Amino acid sequence: MARPVIELAGIDKRYGDCAALAGVSLSVAAGEFVALVGGSGSGKTTLLKIVNGLATPDAGSVRAAGEAAGPQGGSALRRRIGYVFQEIGLFPHMTVAENIGVTPRLLGWDAGRIAARVDELLDLVALPRDVGARAPAALSGGQRQRVGVARALAAQPALMLMDEPFGALDPLTRDALGADYRALHERLGLTTVMVTHDMAEAVLLADRIVVLKAGRIVADGPPAELAAQADDPDVRALLDAPRRQAERLRARLEAGA
């Protein structure tokens, strides 16, 4: 079995009276693509932040990218983990190339190595190299998200964490970028954990789906296996959502024919 890249054991996290996570244990092997799904407030983003050292659990242990995660050394760990989120967060006063090179500069790479890596990454995410000289504001939403993926990959991380990375994009761009990222996951041998509200996206992209409900994992497995075995009504409703949407869409199109 592939070695675990993420190991969570007995994780509890509270915000005041709210239990964001309650007794969560999760292991993610090298090379897996895992989708975290569940309703709003189920604990998905909190779990991702704990893996990345952006939040500290009240109880339990965390290992990520081969080392214990926690307040000590958190910034060093984060430089070894790629992180992509919906808002993208590109620095507006920097060019695209400067944005992509942020983490390598923090790691002390020389200018020539950074420039070569920027060109390599622009090719990898299917953006023209001249985009590197532009400001983020000059790009489309889909282009900015590709830059966000490139920036996350800049320091050659083995682990990628993604929080609703394509949620703000139009459907066609979202579908294309999701497929392109899945191809990158395979090509680079990444381990990916992605938070998404879109069950169709989870089923299409992920090898494994982890369903959270009220801070607990209530289902975990390959999409086809979960669809065949899920007995929790909320899990079943999530898994059935893509089929229900397809049926409604087909009915509307047939009614208008």
Side-chain angles (χ1 to χ4, degrees):
M1 182 177 177
R3 62 179 174 80
V5 174
I6 297 172
E7 295 175 274
L8 307 180
I11 298 298
D12 291 339
K13 180 65 178 178
R14 299 187 68 87
Y15 294 104
D17 294 332
C18 175
L21 294 171
V24 169
S25 296
L26 179 69
S27 179
V28 177
E32 280 194 294
F33 194 129
V34 176
L36 303 179
V37 303
S40 297
S42 60
K44 305 182 299 296
T45 294
T46 297
L47 191 155
L48 214 62
K49 288 181 176 179
I50 283 175
V51 172
N52 206 27
L54 292 170
T56 303
D58 299 320
S61 63
V62 184
R63 291 190 65 82
E67 64 183 69
Q72 301 300 320
S75 60
L77 174 63
R78 284 191 290 277
R79 291 171 192 170
R80 298 175 51 211
I81 298 175
Y83 195 46
V84 183
F85 43 98
Q86 181 173 327
E87 294 83 5
I88 309 171
L90 300 181
F91 299 111
H93 61 288
M94 294 182 178
T95 65
V96 165
E98 289 168 340
N99 268 279
I100 294 172
V102 164
T103 298
R105 279 197 298 276
L106 292 172
L107 293 173
W109 292 22
D110 64 67
R113 184 182 177 192
I114 292 172
R117 182 62 175 158
V118 168
D119 284 346
E120 178 185 13
L121 287 164
L122 288 171
D123 293 344
L124 199 63
V125 299
L127 287 174
R129 291 188 179 184
D130 62 9
V131 165
R134 301 182 196 173
L139 307 183
S140 70
Q143 288 174 320
R144 288 196 298 273
Q145 197 60 286
R146 288 179 184 274
V147 173
V149 171
R151 183 176 64 179
L153 291 169
Q156 300 173 315
L159 173 60
M160 289 283 283
L161 304 179
M162 310 181 83
D163 192 358
E164 291 284 349
F166 315 127
L169 303 175
D170 67 84
L172 288 177
T173 302
R174 179 174 185 156
D175 182 61
L177 193 48
D180 286 350
Y181 178 77
R182 176 69 210 208
L184 284 178
H185 169 90
E186 298 288 347
R187 177 178 171 184
L188 301 177
L190 299 170
T191 302
T192 299
V193 180
M194 179 182 71
V195 167
T196 180
H197 283 93
D198 187 331
M199 275 304 303
E201 183 173 72
V203 169
L204 289 170
L205 298 182
D207 308 310
R208 175 180 165 200
I209 296 175
V210 175
V211 184
L212 287 103
K213 177 181 175 182
R216 298 181 184 275
I217 293 175
V218 293
D220 180 356
E225 180 181 303
L226 289 188
Q229 299 178 4
D231 51 11
D232 182 293
D234 291 330
V235 174
R236 171 57 59 192
L238 278 171
L239 293 170
D240 283 348
R243 178 184 56 77
R244 292 195 307 270
Q245 290 170 342
E247 289 174 351
R248 289 201 306 271
L249 178 60
R250 183 167 54 251
R252 290 292 297 273
L253 291 174
E254 289 173 352

